[in-house]
Amino acid sequence: MGLDVVRVGLAERSYDIHIGTGTLPRIGELCREVSLKGQAAVITNPTVGSLYLQTVQESLQGAGYQVTVITIPDGEEYKCSATLESIYDDLLGAGLHRGAFIVALGGGVVGDIAGYAAATFLRGIPFVQVPTTLLAQVDSSVGGKTGINHPRGKNLIGAFYQPRLVLIDLLTLDTLPRREYLCGLAEALKYGIVLERELFDYISAATDAITAVDKDVLLHVVSACCRIKAAVVERDEREGGLRAVLNYGHTIGHAVETLTEYRRYKHGEAVAIGMAHIARLSRLLGLASGEETDRIVALMKKLGFELNLPAFPLDAFVEAIGHDKKKGDDGVTFIFNRGIGDFAMEKVTDVRGLLAELERDGASREPGE
Ligand code: NAD
Ligand code: GLY
């Protein structure tokens, strides 16, 4: 079985992403390699902890670290200030000082809040990401966005704070529920559609293996996603421009989540709907051909995504998009696909007009039909 290392080159904040199967027992040794010292605080949740904590804990202890375990409740609703406070309490209670470090063991929720705790505790202590969902492996553990939700919106409080290393064990995907796996696939596909046609073609040719969670194929896919995301983050760490390309499908996706009150869809499912419909818009705007759009939609369907856009009233849809965090004063930035493997970033002032295009084209029918 292969092992890949992807470097995120950010001068003194550079780090490696280690990707392979059965890599979890190496966490202690890898922390030593990057010169982490002192006490380790592993932050996880009961779901992931019951599966993988023992391996991580034993490896860290085997490498000579004293380990404190902090377990937070499972769920997006716990990515909040109350949980953050409880983490600070536990870190202080365990006597952690500035020489210590945090290990985030879990999906994007654990990674985001543990990373933000690391960024802020005693004005910043090092942290390590051990992502266990596909979404966290291809997206959230890489690039240093950390944070929590606020009652007024998701991810409104946070910091850019890079980890010291990321360790990905593809075996953890064997226990991931199928819905969560698909959510990660949506983000993986995103890189192919707007940034690298080779990845799109590779995924297209490997759908059966991907559905079967084949580790050789996933090693290729996850490594490619990390390499592509690293290249974007290296050029635009703090989202001054280019990094916004990673929001492909997310502007419509966020509106879908908002209008269904975060109950009906998981984030990745809403993003998948957003991607399919922004692909349709890209065709309507002449940026992609009908054939390319059909390929995108057909691949998403084959992977098992449900792509119907609920028939929201146009006013509510426009309003929900207008509230997207990425909205500037003079419009909403949309990412379109230019064919497959490239993108166009456009500030749209007439959001109503754009969405009306979708309606005229038959918003309620499935894309590609
Ligand atoms: P999640 O962390 O809630 O994990 C999904 C579910 O899977 C949880 O119930 C979790 O306990 C469980 N789980 C995790 N690993 C498992 C495993 N190996 N086996 C079985 N169950 C497992 O969700 P997510 O999709 O990983 O992350 C979503 C979060 O990531 C959101 O809060 C989102 O805002 C954030 N995010 C951050 C970035 C970033 O750049 N920082 C990017 C994208 C998303
Ligand atoms: N997931 C978007 C980003 O990391 O910028």
Side-chain angles (χ1 to χ4, degrees), residues 139 142 145 190 229 239 243 246-247:
D139 192 354
V142 177
K145 278 191 184 175
K190 168 186 85 178
K229 181 155 184 185
E239 200 162 317
R243 188 166 176 167
L246 302 176
N247 297 324

Side-chain angles (χ1 to χ4, degrees), residues 45 47-48 51-52 74 76 79 106-110 112 132-133 135-136 139-140 142 145-146 154-155 172-173 175-177 180 229 243:
N45 70 27
T47 314
V48 179
L51 294 162
Y52 304 113
D74 188 356
E76 179 75 36
K79 201 176 99 175
V109 167
V110 167
D112 278 12
T132 61
T133 62
L135 182 138
D139 192 354
S140 65
V142 177
K145 278 191 184 175
T146 70
K154 282 186 69 177
N155 297 325
T172 59
L173 300 177
T175 55
L176 194 64
E180 299 294 349
K229 181 155 184 185
R243 188 166 176 167

Side-chain angles (χ1 to χ4, degrees), residues 146-205:
T146 70
I148 56 170
N149 301 325
H150 185 274
R152 290 199 185 186
K154 282 186 69 177
N155 297 325
L156 290 182
I157 313 297
F160 288 98
Y161 193 67
Q162 301 295 340
R164 290 288 283 276
L165 90 100
V166 181
L167 176 64
I168 296 175
D169 189 341
L170 300 170
L171 285 185
T172 59
L173 300 177
D174 283 337
T175 55
L176 194 64
R178 176 67 34 176
R179 258 183 103 179
E180 299 294 349
Y181 184 67
L182 264 187
C183 288
L185 271 186
E187 302 286 357
L189 204 51
K190 168 186 85 178
Y191 297 107
I193 297 173
V194 284
L195 286 162
E196 195 177 281
R197 193 183 178 109
E198 288 81 5
L199 176 60
F200 182 90
D201 290 341
Y202 184 89
I203 294 175
S204 297

Side-chain angles (χ1 to χ4, degrees), residues 7 22 168 246 254 307 313 339:
R7 182 88 175 152
I168 296 175
L246 302 176
H254 283 150
L307 302 176

Side-chain angles (χ1 to χ4, degrees), residues 94-116:
L96 257 80
H97 48 75
R98 294 207 63 189
F101 64 101
I102 285 175
V103 178
L105 173 66
V109 167
V110 167
D112 278 12
I113 196 167
Y116 189 57

